[in-house]
Amino acid sequence: MLDMERYACLARQAVAEGCVLLKNDENTLPIRKGGKVASFGRSQFNYYKSGTGSGGKVNTAYVVSVLDALQGCKDIVMNETVFTVYEKWLEEHPFDEGKGWATEPWCQEEMPLSEEVVKEAALESEIALVTIARTAGEARDNSATEGSFLLTKEEEQMLELVCRYFTKTAVLLNTGNIIDMKWVEKYNPSAVLYIWQGGQEGGNGVLDVLTGKVSPCGKLTDTIAKDYLDYPSAEKFGNDDQNIYAEDIYIGYRYFETFAKEKVLYPFGYGLSYTKFALDDIDFMWDGERILVSVKVTNCGNAAGKEVVQLYMEAPQGALGKPVRVLCGFAKTRELLPGESETVTITCDRYYLASYDDSGVTGHLSAYVLEAGEYHFYAGTDVRNASRVGMFEIEKTLVIEQHTAALSPTVAFDRLYPQMGKEALAPSYQPTPTRNYDLWERIVSARPAEIPYTGDKGYKLVDVRNGKVSMQEFVAQMTKEEISVLLRGEGMCSLKVTPGTGGAFGGLTKRLKEFGIPVGCCTDGPSGLRMDVGTIAFSLPNGTCLASSYNEALSEELFEMLGIELRKNKVDILLGPGMNIHRNPLNGRNFEYFSEDPIVTGKMTCAQLRGMHKHHVTGTIKHFIAQNQEHRRTFVNGVISERAIRELYLKGFEIAVKEGGAYSIMSTYGPINGLYTASNYDLLTHILRKEWGYEGFVMSDWWSKGNEEGCEGCKQEMAAMVRSQNDIYMVANNSEKNSNNDNMLAALESDKLTIGEMQRCASNLLRTLMRIPAMERLLGEEEECYRELYSIDDGYEPLEHYTYIDLTQTGVIPAELISTGAGCNTGFELELPDSLNRIVELTLRARTAADQVAQIPMFVYYNGVMVQSIILTGADTEWKTVSFLMQGLHKVGTTVEFRFAADGIELGSCILKKEMDYE
Ligand code: BGC
């Protein structure tokens, strides 16, 4: 059932379809059969399969780099001389890994290229490939500097030389996200191809494009501006404490098409092909509820290929002001042979055409409206290259949905809007409406009633599933203490679930198990399974790459495979897709996310969810919402208008919930409009549940904070989180002992929290637990096809995690370890005098010094086998005791060895305890 060949094929196809060809003069690409290729750039030797941080930690069986793929291709003759020059230089300039979590360099030192080498190569080879690569990731953004968003001097020198001597030069950009592109004009390479970060099949997918097996059909999901400072968010991005979203709804092409067309180098939606397409026979229909557009696409070139048709709207400026283009939908054709045609259709509900009035200027405060005027629609192959296909007119402003204000800013600021100038729209600023309702009043007036405690009636969760008792009756059996334990997840690398995974939740204790509550397991995400004990998993193309393919069906199929892989590893929930809007090209985690556009983001998410849902597992859509910068992400407050929140930052999530059936959501690390999202009532209750009818559960990000309005955030503030329906806190070391020392139970003494609110979160969580495979696993009800997966030996089996250990009669073996500081690699040996069994506890004293929420894994090896990884965070600067459990037996009298390896962790002492009492 887990057909690895098919998995690899789909991933390869996704990479190929995600590649975006920006330039291809004189048909530089594809490389002809037998073509002689000289490949430049040190990064060809260190292909980035993904970015860094939690989203990059997939242990793969292999990674095919572009170079590997080229070298394995019979149809291409590689220039060996150039290869050897690099190989030699690399001996002295090995790959610099940095020191772990967010300290990796975002680029590698480039080899200074000699003119001789290039000159020679140009005589021998007809085409040059130049690879330029960047990575970036969690906890550290890119910067608008050389080696990050900009090219380094050595890279420029390389481009200059290669373009001087070769008439055909194709630049391959192995990046997570767009970078500065000024060099295209400067050096004029004849072809430019974004290949993104393609996961383990990356090189193969790119090869298919280079050789013409697949005609490029990827399209930009972001606008490439001429200069970083042209992006409307540039000025405020990267602030320490407060980030004012003054550009409002004018992000990406919404901004450029409205105010600054001349600043665009490559427009949103742009991407070339090896063939040509004609769009005709266009049919436009508006029935008052939705638009339906059909377009006949004909391949009128010489190669087979696919095309993406995009539909944009131009709404009347009205009183609100609108971007002059807004994407309403897209459709990709199947592969069309030369001369072949296909008619694609795009539909869009009027709700997605509407604008949100947060000021009342239309006369309809807090409503989605279609303002009176003409709505024009444009279809084409990018935002610029789209022609008018139809229109409708609204005579009198129409209210589409009436809501109440929510999530409004409390800080006054001016926001961008388009003012009609003499000829064109000009940027102007107007005051943003601020909150004018009493949030506390809103919260307390809608508190859920307490379900009276009944004591344990012997009902199990399965009785709720089978309709024997109601959820209320079930929850009524639990004390407030029991519920408090239920609302805390454990991790990372909990031994109660698949080893090395991110988190465990649900029936984590003996008592909770007695209620028949299963233990759910989740792990990162988004582009493959992260299992920190070294278990091998499939690494998928990154979010930007998948979105650039605009191929929903392909993503669905690919994530169906991931769904099976989740089942195989007994992981119920992936921590992904990441769906934050690419507000600024420097965001370190853009590689995990999809686009500057919420429709692309929402649709791609739905496709991934559909795929996983086929196997009854799901994805966690994250980070809800507006985590648009990594720098000081647990502090920086996003000040955003309600309109921008609704039209941009919520929209993709809304689509995922309403159309994709999402039922697992992760809140963010930071606050918006003064409230941490994990404790944001308007976000998690008012909008998510009341407006959208969401019935799944919400988890916090790992060790994230919550706050009461006006107070600093802290992770102890669970009362405000539970009250807002952030249903579970991720993560605690020990949920029963309340190891985070949260304020949940204490808050019941005040008006901060009620038992009813705790019961409400418990019900949300339990409802989710009933849907995921954890429930079937507990009941032994898994279908045979999934059961079979556990035993298949296909090279994707989890490693042997539990090694047998023996301990002394005393049960306590102190082992003083020397402090080793950063890069520790230490350990001890001990002789086992007695035989013991069951579970033993290993307790370490450790501390770190890094970014507050950095995840720093320490690997514990037992007799040379990795048995556990323990994650410390950057907040653990004081000596901290970490314990974990190991199961098993070991022969008496043998010597065992423990070793600890970590970067940035200092070890104090280590104690082993025998025979834990753990069920
Ligand atoms: C990230 C999340 C991730 C979690 C668990 C956090 O650092 O922000 O996206 O899912 O860790 O690894």
Side-chain angles (χ1 to χ4, degrees):
M1 196 184 185
L2 184 55
D3 179 347
M4 296 312 294
E5 231 169 86
R6 185 173 144 69
Y7 206 167
C9 264
L10 287 166
R12 178 176 185 154
Q13 182 70 18
V15 174
E17 292 203 21
C19 287
V20 181
L21 184 65
L22 292 184
K23 190 171 186 227
N24 196 24
D25 295 349
E26 314 288 332
N27 297 330
T28 298
L29 293 176
I31 303 166
R32 69 173 178 91
K33 203 167 173 180
K36 294 182 176 166
V37 176
S39 183
F40 296 92
R42 77 86 40 85
S43 296
Q44 60 183 307
F45 294 86
N46 49 262
Y47 175 72
Y48 289 121
K49 73 169 184 6
S50 74
T52 62
S54 60
K57 288 186 172 295
V58 181
N59 300 305
T60 54
Y62 65 87
V63 176
V64 180
S65 70
V66 180
L67 185 65
D68 296 335
L70 285 166
Q71 285 177 329
C73 174
K74 299 187 303 295
D75 297 338
I76 287 174
V77 185
M78 296 293 285
N79 185 317
E80 289 302 320
T81 320
V82 174
F83 179 81
T84 316
V85 171
Y86 276 100
E87 245 194 347
K88 244 179 128 187
W89 183 83
L90 285 169
E91 281 171 17
E92 316 258 281
H93 301 85
F95 183 73
D96 176 6
E97 292 191 14
K99 286 202 160 49
W101 194 266
T103 70
E104 304 91 341
W106 288 166
C107 86
Q108 297 288 319
E109 183 188 354
E110 186 52 73
M111 181 179 92
L113 201 52
S114 89
E115 194 168 341
E116 281 315 294
V117 170
V118 183
K119 219 166 148 180
E120 283 276 301
L123 294 175
E124 261 180 52
S125 308
E126 64 205 61
I127 175 167
L129 296 181
V130 177
T131 305
I132 289 171
R134 291 288 184 277
T135 190
E138 193 167 346
R140 207 176 110 227
D141 293 308
N142 278 298
S143 57
T145 56
E146 289 175 15
S148 187
F149 190 65
L150 308 180
L151 298 195
T152 63
K153 297 214 169 40
E154 290 73 22
E155 287 167 337
E156 295 224 15
Q157 184 235 4
M158 165 171 70
L159 275 176
E160 192 278 317
L161 269 178
V162 175
C163 294
R164 175 143 44 106
Y165 285 100
F166 279 82
T167 40
K168 288 182 168 189
T169 300
V171 182
L172 310 182
L173 297 166
N174 173 206
T175 60
N177 184 44
I178 56 170
I179 59 167
D180 178 77
M181 300 293 284
K182 281 198 267 304
W183 47 268
V184 178
E185 208 187 354
K186 202 160 161 197
Y187 305 113
N188 198 21
S190 55
V192 177
L193 184 72
Y194 266 101
I195 63 171
W196 313 118
Q197 296 159 338
Q200 69 186 62
E201 280 290 326
N204 285 331
V206 175
L207 180 73
D208 291 344
V209 171
L210 294 179
T211 57
K213 192 172 160 223
V214 174
S215 177
C217 50
K219 306 283 175 176
L220 288 177
T221 60
D222 293 316
T223 308
I224 299 183
K226 289 186 175 155
D227 188 79
Y228 170 68
L229 290 175
D230 294 337
Y231 289 96
S233 59
E235 209 184 304
K236 303 281 191 319
F237 182 82
N239 280 2
D240 282 352
D241 299 313
Q242 179 165 282
N243 200 330
I244 292 185
Y245 287 43
E247 76 283 352
D248 209 45
I249 57 168
Y250 299 94
I251 279 295
Y253 71 86
R254 287 170 161 74
Y255 168 80
F256 289 108
E257 297 308 304
T258 310
F259 300 113
K261 281 183 107 160
E262 72 290 353
K263 290 182 176 164
V264 174
L265 211 49
Y266 299 102
F268 178 87
Y270 180 78
L272 300 170
S273 164
Y274 294 154
T275 185
K276 292 218 159 5
F277 295 95
L279 273 45
D280 50 29
D281 278 1
I282 292 162
D283 201 34
F284 176 87
M285 193 220 45
W286 158 251
D287 64 5
E289 293 293 324
R290 58 183 192 137
I291 47 166
L292 194 148
V293 175
S294 64
V295 180
K296 186 170 142 211
V297 184
T298 306
N299 183 347
C300 44
N302 299 320
K306 300 183 180 183
E307 182 58 292
V308 180
V309 180
Q310 304 151 37
L311 183 68
Y312 296 92
M313 166 183 71
E314 181 181 12
Q317 284 299 317
L320 284 169
K322 318 269 165 46
V324 302
R325 290 289 181 280
V326 168
L327 185 76
C328 326
F330 57 88
K332 190 165 193 171
T333 65
R334 63 181 152 80
E335 186 171 79
L336 300 175
L337 297 173
E340 249 193 307
S341 304
E342 184 189 348
T343 299
V344 295
T345 51
I346 301 169
T347 60
C348 183
D349 195 276
R350 65 181 192 171
Y351 175 68
Y352 294 111
L353 308 178
S355 304
Y356 187 79
D357 182 0
D358 60 1
S359 66
V361 69
T362 66
H364 305 282
L365 180 62
S366 310
Y368 279 98
V369 292
L370 284 178
E371 281 198 88
E374 292 182 359
Y375 290 74
H376 296 274
F377 293 84
Y378 303 82
T381 53
D382 67 61
V383 69
R384 286 283 165 86
N385 181 20
S387 33
R388 251 192 60 167
V389 293
M391 59 89 71
F392 64 77
E393 192 172 353
I394 299 284
E395 277 177 15
K396 194 167 161 268
T397 295
L398 204 65
V399 174
I400 304 297
E401 275 189 16
Q402 180 65 56
H403 293 293
T404 41
L407 277 170
S408 323
T410 51
V411 171
F413 69 102
D414 287 344
R415 63 174 166 184
L416 182 61
Y417 84 102
Q419 195 171 47
M420 201 54 208
K422 277 213 187 82
E423 271 155 29
L425 295 167
S428 189
Y429 285 84
Q430 65 186 12
T432 310
T434 50
R435 194 204 293 166
N436 62 1
Y437 54 94
D438 185 337
L439 181 60
W440 184 250
E441 168 58 27
R442 173 174 287 178
I443 296 171
V444 292
S445 65
R447 289 195 127 145
E450 178 180 340
I451 308 169
Y453 177 64
T454 57
D456 191 341
K457 298 256 204 175
Y459 304 142
K460 309 286 178 221
L461 191 58
V462 66
D463 297 328
V464 182
R465 194 198 64 179
N466 294 346
K468 263 175 69 183
V469 297
S470 68
M471 182 60 89
Q472 290 219 342
E473 287 169 289
F474 179 77
V475 170
Q477 307 178 98
M478 301 172 80
T479 64
K480 54 183 190 287
E481 288 79 13
E482 285 158 1
I483 294 178
S484 75
V485 176
L486 185 63
L487 302 187
R488 300 182 190 114
E490 288 182 6
M492 311 179 78
C493 301
S494 163
L495 279 196
K496 299 174 186 175
V497 286
T498 305
T501 51
F505 53 91
L508 297 175
T509 61
K510 197 169 164 226
R511 179 68 191 123
L512 292 176
K513 278 206 171 77
E514 283 166 7
F515 288 111
I517 301 174
V519 181
C521 174
C522 57
T523 204
D524 288 311
S527 321
L529 271 92
R530 169 184 177 191
M531 290 172 285
D532 277 351
V533 287
T535 313
I536 299 296
F538 196 90
S539 154
L540 285 83
N542 75 9
T544 307
C545 179
L546 290 173
S548 301
S549 78
Y550 284 77
N551 191 334
E552 296 159 84
L554 182 57
S555 274
E556 180 174 335
E557 272 190 85
L558 187 59
F559 277 74
E560 202 180 323
M561 301 305 294
L562 182 64
I564 304 175
E565 207 188 358
L566 285 159
R567 293 299 302 249
K568 176 170 169 46
N569 287 285
K570 298 188 184 161
V571 177
D572 305 284
I573 300 184
L574 183 78
L575 299 175
M579 44 185 318
N580 294 107
I581 293 294
H582 289 175
R583 173 177 179 244
N584 185 289
L586 299 186
N587 181 12
R589 292 183 85 173
N590 275 352
F591 78 97
E592 295 185 55
Y593 312 143
F594 299 120
S595 170
E596 66 188 22
D597 179 82
I599 298 279
V600 174
T601 301
K603 298 271 181 207
M604 293 315 291
T605 300
C606 289
Q608 296 190 5
L609 291 176
R610 275 197 302 274
M612 289 185 274
H613 287 174
K614 287 191 182 142
H615 295 285
H616 319 293
V617 284
T618 195
T620 305
I621 54 176
K622 69 185 188 183
H623 306 88
F624 194 55
I625 58 165
Q627 182 167 314
N628 300 321
Q629 122 177 8
E630 286 300 294
H631 176 68
R632 302 235 329 150
R633 61 185 171 162
T634 62
F635 296 95
V636 66
N637 180 32
V639 178
I640 321 174
S641 80
E642 185 185 352
R643 180 176 178 196
I645 288 178
R646 287 182 178 269
E647 290 188 20
L648 276 185
Y649 300 106
L650 280 172
K651 195 59 83 194
F653 288 95
E654 183 175 359
I655 294 171
V657 167
K658 291 181 176 172
E659 293 176 21
Y663 61 91
S664 177
I665 294 181
M666 186 191 293
S667 48
T668 71
Y669 275 130
I672 51 169
N673 292 335
L675 282 164
Y676 278 81
T677 58
S679 54
N680 200 317
Y681 181 88
D682 269 353
L683 178 68
L684 302 182
T685 297
H686 189 87
I687 292 185
L688 178 64
R689 300 200 183 257
K690 238 178 95 191
E691 274 186 26
W692 299 356
Y694 179 71
E695 291 192 334
F697 82 144
V698 177
M699 62 177 83
S700 71
D701 201 341
W702 270 232
W703 310 288
S704 71
K705 304 180 196 174
N707 71 331
E708 291 288 1
E709 185 132 55
C711 302
E712 303 242 308
C714 66
K715 69 177 180 189
Q716 284 73 30
E717 188 50 81
M718 255 196 87
M721 298 189 206
V722 171
R723 194 176 67 220
S724 308
Q725 297 192 71
N726 186 103
D727 303 303
I728 59 170
Y729 186 82
M730 300 301 277
V731 285
N733 276 338
N734 188 317
S735 54
E736 203 159 24
K737 290 187 186 151
N738 185 13
S739 53
N740 285 340
N741 197 20
D742 66 54
N743 66 355
M744 196 173 3
L745 288 176
L748 291 174
E749 308 299 320
S750 65
D751 66 349
K752 273 171 73 85
L753 186 66
T754 67
I755 296 181
E757 284 161 337
M758 287 176 64
Q759 290 168 325
R760 182 168 64 177
C761 286
S763 309
N764 295 338
L765 166 64
L766 293 168
R767 258 199 318 274
T768 307
L769 281 163
M770 289 193 296
R771 291 179 78 160
I772 57 178
M775 187 75 179
E776 296 165 12
R777 282 200 303 275
L778 179 75
L779 300 170
E781 285 178 356
E782 293 158 283
E783 286 171 53
E784 195 48 38
C785 59
Y786 296 120
R787 248 184 249 255
E788 277 169 4
L789 287 172
Y790 306 144
S791 55
I792 299 171
D793 183 14
D794 52 9
Y796 289 82
E797 274 300 288
L799 301 180
E800 207 40 68
H801 306 291
Y802 304 119
T803 318
Y804 297 118
I805 311 177
D806 234 350
L807 295 175
T808 61
Q809 300 93 324
T810 64
V812 180
I813 305 167
E816 279 314 314
L817 295 177
I818 318 130
S819 263
T820 53
C824 99
N825 180 2
T826 185
F828 63 93
E829 283 188 358
L830 82 131
E831 195 170 310
L832 299 171
D834 194 8
S835 90
L836 281 170
N837 55 20
R838 305 224 308 162
I839 292 169
V840 295
E841 189 185 57
L842 186 76
T843 305
L844 299 162
R845 301 264 295 152
R847 65 182 177 186
T848 64
D851 171 64
Q852 283 274 313
V853 287
Q855 297 165 4
I856 310 171
M858 172 165 56
F859 300 103
V860 182
Y861 293 85
Y862 170 72
N863 287 351
V865 177
M866 193 206 294
V867 287
Q868 178 67 301
S869 64
I870 297 170
I871 309 273
L872 270 79
T873 76
D876 300 320
T877 48
E878 298 298 319
W879 284 112
K880 173 180 174 155
T881 305
V882 272
S883 301
F884 70 92
L885 308 174
M886 292 175 72
Q887 290 168 313
L889 280 168
H890 197 88
K891 283 200 209 98
V892 188
T894 43
T895 303
V896 295
E897 185 218 25
F898 280 96
R899 290 209 76 73
F900 307 92
D903 263 335
I905 291 183
E906 216 179 327
L907 265 189
S909 60
C910 170
I911 294 172
L912 283 173
K913 273 194 208 152
K914 72 171 192 177
E915 295 214 45
M916 290 289 301
D917 179 22
Y918 168 74
E919 297 272 332

